[in-house]
Amino acid sequence: MPAEWWRSAVVYEIYVRSFADADGDGVGDLAGIRGKLDYLVDLGVDAIWLTPFYRSPMHDHGYDVADPRDVDPMFGSLADFDGLLHDAHARGLRVYVDIVPNHTSNEHPWFRAATANVDAPERERYLFRAGAPDGGPPNDWESVFGGSAWSADPTPGGTGYYLHLFDASQPDLNWRNREVRAEFVSLLRYWFDRGVDGFRIDVAHGLFKDSRFRDGKANAWDQDEVFDIWREWRKVADGYDERAFVGEVFLYDMDRVAQYVGRQKLHQAFNFVVARTSFDADAIRTTLRRALHLFLRHDSAPTWVLSNHDLVRHVTRFGGGDLGRRRGLAFTAMLLALPGATYLYQGEELGLEESDVPPDARQDPVWLTSGRVGRDGARTPMPWTSDGPGFGFTTGTPWLPFDEQANTRDARSQSGDGTSTLSTYRRLLAARREIRHRWSGSPRWADRTDELVVVEQELSDGSTLLVACNCADDTVTLPVPAAAELVVATDHADLDGGSLTLAGATTGWLLLRR
Ligand code: NOJ
């Protein structure tokens, strides 16, 4: 891969619990992933991102870390991790792992020490505060999962509260404390030394809260002081070869997100505005143009994300069923053609929709805390075969149930079908491999008012990639240069000397050789 591989990588997010279960306990594990690396190589991705596999009581499915230097026995062992890393590298795959700096588990030894007695020096590492004069929480901040962000201090004799912007089992760390800073630098080195290629940073817009704890949501997040941390971490990464950070900056203000990246800050940040963009030509054009402009200007690269383990699967967002799938593919094909790194979420290559998980099977703390449906529907296991009840994922009982999609949308059936979503992803990723080192100059967007997004990207050999996405439901025909060749399309596309006909909700890539 090229220098600064992260700029153009296709990264595949593995939600470890739900990818592949090797030991039959119903939960995915590292050995399971190791056994599926060839599937990922055939798919054509450049890197994988593993969600947290560290020791954890799993109240937030691993984002509540109790020991960030060890593997939870549910997922395997450090030896399994080293084996997976070795095998991934041997196949040319880079590996991002998650790091969770905003909070720890309440079972982390630090929080245990902090709550052992009210004079414990370890209390400084978390955010304990006295209650308001009426005895209620110190301020009005809310937990992302529902309810107050403050819970009663469980320390014997404790009378106040501790802060948790997520679950009560995830106490927030005090980033103004030097021991916290030092611990995370040491943790970065621990995993970099083991060979990981990068970190996906959880809640990268969190960490610092208003130092006076004033009311108001804006005071709980996104404080400028966090940039000092990213500068410090960048120096650590730059001391190694070719390592990268991608921050989960969950803000919908692209200008602000772009402040997190640059030569001295994070390499990249997820841009969730893309995931919020509807399948509409104007909306797509506006978001993509702006993202390219902003992130390239900051000497980063755009990140293209439609789905992850926290979002409703995009096929469902785009209307569900065949139409939702066609739209999802068309949007993805547009993103894959553009400079930047594309992040895929496991199962999207199978065209999976959000699963309808029955209430009694739901496990997301969002559901348990607030009664909102939550994220379980995006987290159901991968159907590898159409053989129920385990669908090639497990020989045991899956931790979240499969729904009827597993009967027909499994990886094995789709592998043998050239018209499947999986086969289309493979063709797209193969086509992208041919061009991704050759992007040169800025993309040129055709000025249009209809339901077509058309962009031309120059390649370094002087040829041009012309990408057209038909966002309408009906077929359209557009004029293209007579010598254009069709490289790949997500559905029916006909090129007839000088005119391209695209089915509804379809993207085609054309090559105009020099
Ligand atoms: C973002 C993660 O993606 C999500 O799954 C988790 O619940 C929160 N951060 C808290 O760590």
Side-chain angles (χ1 to χ4, degrees):
M1 287 194 80
E4 303 205 311
W5 58 275
W6 49 270
R7 284 184 188 273
S8 61
V10 175
V11 183
Y12 184 95
E13 179 192 354
I14 294 183
Y15 191 66
V16 176
R17 295 179 76 85
S18 297
F19 192 62
D21 170 23
D23 67 4
D25 66 353
V27 179
D29 46 42
L30 299 180
I33 298 168
R34 205 170 167 188
K36 296 292 185 195
L37 289 175
D38 288 333
Y39 168 85
L40 298 171
V41 170
D42 290 346
L43 178 58
V45 304
D46 304 303
I48 55 177
W49 149 31
L50 304 174
T51 55
F53 47 79
Y54 314 111
R55 276 191 190 263
S56 163
M58 305 288 170
H59 295 301
D60 189 18
H61 300 124
Y63 282 97
D64 47 327
V65 181
D67 180 354
R69 290 181 180 73
D70 201 3
V71 174
D72 196 277
M74 177 183 273
F75 298 132
S77 62
L78 276 173
D80 291 326
F81 177 80
D82 291 340
L84 169 57
L85 193 62
H86 173 271
D87 288 3
H89 285 164
R91 286 165 174 76
L93 295 171
R94 309 263 179 168
V95 179
Y96 279 99
V97 297
D98 234 297
I99 188 164
V100 188
N102 183 67
H103 44 263
T104 68
S105 158
N106 58 352
E107 294 186 24
H108 189 290
W110 278 17
F111 195 70
R112 285 184 190 278
T115 52
N117 69 72
V118 290
D119 300 318
E122 291 85 357
R123 292 172 79 74
E124 284 304 312
R125 298 170 177 166
Y126 292 91
L127 296 166
F128 292 94
R129 283 290 169 283
D134 68 356
N139 66 20
D140 68 356
W141 296 353
E142 288 181 357
S143 151
V144 173
F145 295 164
S148 170
W150 299 94
S151 284
D153 179 358
T155 313
T159 53
Y161 293 82
Y162 69 94
L163 181 72
H164 55 87
L165 291 177
F166 294 89
D167 193 56
S169 65
Q170 294 166 297
D172 279 45
L173 287 162
N174 172 15
W175 274 88
R176 296 188 177 92
N177 177 281
R178 300 217 71 79
E179 291 165 358
V180 171
R181 288 177 77 137
E183 159 65 1
F184 275 86
V185 167
S186 142
L187 196 54
L188 293 175
R189 293 192 188 286
Y190 176 86
W191 291 103
F192 277 151
D193 289 344
R194 270 202 126 81
V196 309
D197 301 285
F199 287 92
R200 175 268 189 190
I201 305 171
D202 192 58
V203 199
H205 59 308
L207 278 58
F208 286 88
K209 292 75 175 144
D210 175 55
S211 56
R212 287 156 58 199
F213 291 84
R214 284 171 289 193
D215 278 349
K217 187 174 176 200
N219 289 322
W221 305 93
D222 188 28
Q223 309 287 305
D224 284 347
E225 279 167 281
V226 79
F227 300 142
D228 283 348
I229 305 301
W230 306 144
R231 287 191 194 94
E232 185 180 9
W233 285 27
R234 180 61 179 256
K235 284 191 198 134
V236 176
D238 286 350
Y240 292 81
D241 268 2
E242 294 282 295
R243 312 297 167 107
F245 294 124
V246 56
E248 186 215 17
V249 180
F250 218 118
L251 302 170
Y252 288 122
D253 173 350
M254 262 198 253
D255 289 272
R256 182 64 184 167
V257 176
Q259 307 265 303
Y260 280 75
V261 298
R263 279 273 162 217
Q264 269 130 40
K265 297 187 206 163
L266 301 179
H267 302 75
Q268 289 193 314
F270 288 142
N271 177 3
F272 289 107
V273 178
V274 179
R276 210 177 55 164
T277 302
S278 52
F279 191 73
D280 165 86
D282 254 354
I284 292 178
R285 237 185 328 253
T286 309
T287 304
L288 305 192
R289 283 180 90 149
R290 179 111 191 94
L292 279 157
H293 172 73
L294 267 174
F295 291 94
L296 294 174
R297 199 182 64 192
H298 280 256
D299 202 9
S300 173
T303 56
W304 307 121
V305 188
L306 287 179
S307 282
N308 72 21
H309 65 283
D310 294 325
L311 304 173
V312 171
R313 283 190 178 275
H314 63 252
V315 170
T316 303
R317 295 203 314 269
F318 295 148
D322 267 358
L323 183 60
R325 242 181 308 278
R326 292 159 61 92
R327 289 174 169 167
L329 266 173
F331 201 154
T332 303
M334 187 90 224
L335 300 177
L336 286 168
L338 295 172
T342 304
Y343 289 79
L344 307 178
Y345 176 49
Q346 72 181 42
E348 70 167 79
E349 77 278 20
L350 305 179
L352 294 187
E353 301 189 45
E354 188 82 352
S355 294
D356 190 7
V357 179
D360 59 354
R362 291 181 194 153
Q363 304 201 24
D364 185 351
V366 169
W367 164 253
L368 301 175
T369 312
S370 70
R372 282 184 277 132
V373 172
R375 304 161 293 180
D376 293 307
R379 299 175 173 183
T380 51
M382 280 282 285
W384 292 102
T385 70
S386 55
D387 309 323
F391 296 95
F393 165 72
T394 185
T395 52
T397 306
W399 74 282
L400 280 176
F402 286 97
D403 66 8
E404 70 292 338
Q405 298 182 81
N407 295 313
T408 51
R409 304 217 64 83
D410 63 290
R412 189 170 62 192
S413 311
Q414 291 199 42
S415 255
D417 170 3
T419 66
S420 67
T421 309
L422 177 57
S423 297
T424 309
Y425 265 79
R426 286 180 177 156
R427 281 195 294 275
L428 283 169
L429 266 54
R432 178 189 163 95
R433 282 190 166 236
E434 296 294 311
I435 56 137
R436 65 149 185 229
H437 307 323
R438 296 196 277 140
W439 286 311
S440 109
S442 308
R444 286 189 305 275
W445 299 84
D447 233 344
R448 306 189 71 103
T449 50
D450 56 10
E451 278 298 287
L452 271 171
V453 183
V454 179
V455 58
E456 288 184 18
Q457 172 67 55
E458 249 168 63
L459 303 180
S460 53
D461 63 358
S463 51
T464 301
L465 184 72
L466 185 152
V467 183
C469 173
N470 175 14
C471 295
D473 293 348
D474 303 325
T475 301
V476 293
T477 299
L478 65 150
V480 292
E485 298 160 32
L486 186 63
V487 178
V488 67
T490 58
D491 210 290
H492 295 295
D494 287 315
L495 189 58
D496 188 8
S499 74
L500 171 69
T501 302
L502 282 176
T506 298
T507 290
W509 291 15
L510 305 186
L511 190 66
L512 316 175
R513 290 188 197 276
R514 189 165 60 137

